[in-house]
Amino acid sequence: MNFQQLRAVRETARTGFNLTDVADLLHTSQPGISRQIRELEDELGVEIFVRAGKRLTGLTPPGGTVLPIVERLLLEAENLRRAGEDFAAEGRGELSIAATHSQARYALPPAVRDFLAVHPGVSLRLHQGSPKQVVAMLLSGEADIGVATEELALEPRLAALPCYRWTHSLVVPPGTRCWPCPTRPRSRWRSWRPGRSSPTRPATPAARTSTPPSHGPASRRGWC
């Protein structure tokens, strides 16, 4: 068993079982990818992929169990490499952040500025995506930290912490009559005046964790 075999399995699943794409990603030949997968299957004693002739069409039940383990092994190998680099080049390195568009545009710039002032040797990489894409980037190891307002606290494989609160406000002309939202019985309208705070919800940063954290029920005040 070697890392090249593990990468072949992971990338085969990620590319939709297209071995030509896998060969391009790993800079090898398609027969070489097929051989690496078969050698790993022979060593494990199970078939990881469903086959239709020479094509791979999906994961077998054992493959569904093997794939997450393969992904964790490769992720920890990358973490080990980064740990060595961090100690070898103290004060330098790379930090990858995944965030939604709103967080990247409005919330992160001050934090990035302050971080770089303290750690000028660290290179920051920013990835934008939907909350689900942020979760996927964290789990795949593409990002070290994620910032979003949904999804992160719902994923048991991530450690999520509240970071700050932000608001959604509805602005209407004076005298507009507002009615309760029919889809949210507990919701109600409030008139807003300058200096009055609006209802808020937390933005949440998250990072991968090997020990799933415990989460209590999420509290949310519904407002239309």
Side-chain angles (χ1 to χ4, degrees):
M1 185 182 304
N2 57 57
F3 284 116
Q4 194 67 9
Q5 293 169 346
L6 300 180
R7 292 188 186 97
V9 169
R10 181 187 66 183
E11 298 306 327
T12 297
R14 287 183 175 181
T15 58
F17 314 103
N18 188 322
L19 295 186
T20 300
D21 290 345
V22 177
D24 291 340
L25 285 169
L26 299 182
H27 308 291
T28 185
S29 65
Q30 183 174 334
I33 295 296
S34 298
R35 184 180 67 256
Q36 290 162 3
I37 292 173
R38 179 59 73 183
E39 288 175 352
L40 181 59
E41 289 178 325
D42 290 343
E43 184 172 349
L44 296 178
V46 297
E47 288 194 344
I48 298 173
F49 297 104
V50 177
R51 289 172 170 80
K54 293 184 178 181
R55 295 188 304 109
L56 304 184
T57 59
L59 287 169
T60 63
T65 299
V66 168
L67 181 60
I69 299 173
V70 167
E71 291 176 333
R72 287 199 301 271
L73 287 171
L74 291 173
L75 179 59
E76 291 304 323
E78 177 63 18
N79 289 339
L80 182 61
R81 182 188 66 81
R82 289 185 180 181
E85 291 177 349
D86 289 343
F87 280 103
E90 188 174 354
R92 293 180 293 166
E94 182 178 284
L95 180 65
S96 181
I97 303 173
T100 58
H101 173 77
S102 296
Q103 311 304 325
R105 182 171 182 180
Y106 300 109
L108 285 181
V112 168
R113 180 197 61 220
D114 294 344
F115 179 87
L116 291 178
V118 178
H119 305 283
V122 176
S123 174
L124 286 182
R125 296 180 60 191
L126 179 62
H127 306 273
Q128 289 190 39
S130 67
K132 288 186 177 180
Q133 289 171 329
V134 170
V135 169
M137 284 186 275
L138 287 168
L139 294 177
S140 69
E142 186 177 354
D144 302 306
I145 298 174
V147 183
T149 52
E150 301 92 6
E151 300 292 336
L152 297 184
L154 304 178
E155 172 53 63
R157 290 171 290 179
L158 298 176
L161 300 171
C163 180
Y164 68 96
R165 303 187 73 87
W166 70 316
T167 65
H168 283 297
S169 300
L170 176 65
V171 180
V172 296
T176 300
R177 189 175 184 182
C178 298
W179 296 92
C181 176
T183 60
R184 294 187 179 180
R186 295 184 180 179
S187 299
R188 54 179 175 162
W189 292 91
R190 282 187 177 181
S191 59
W192 180 85
R193 297 186 301 274
R196 182 174 185 174
S197 61
S198 300
T200 60
R201 61 176 175 172
T204 308
R208 295 184 306 276
T209 176
S210 56
T211 304
S214 59
H215 297 289
S219 60
R220 177 176 293 183
R221 298 175 65 185
W223 300 83
C224 293

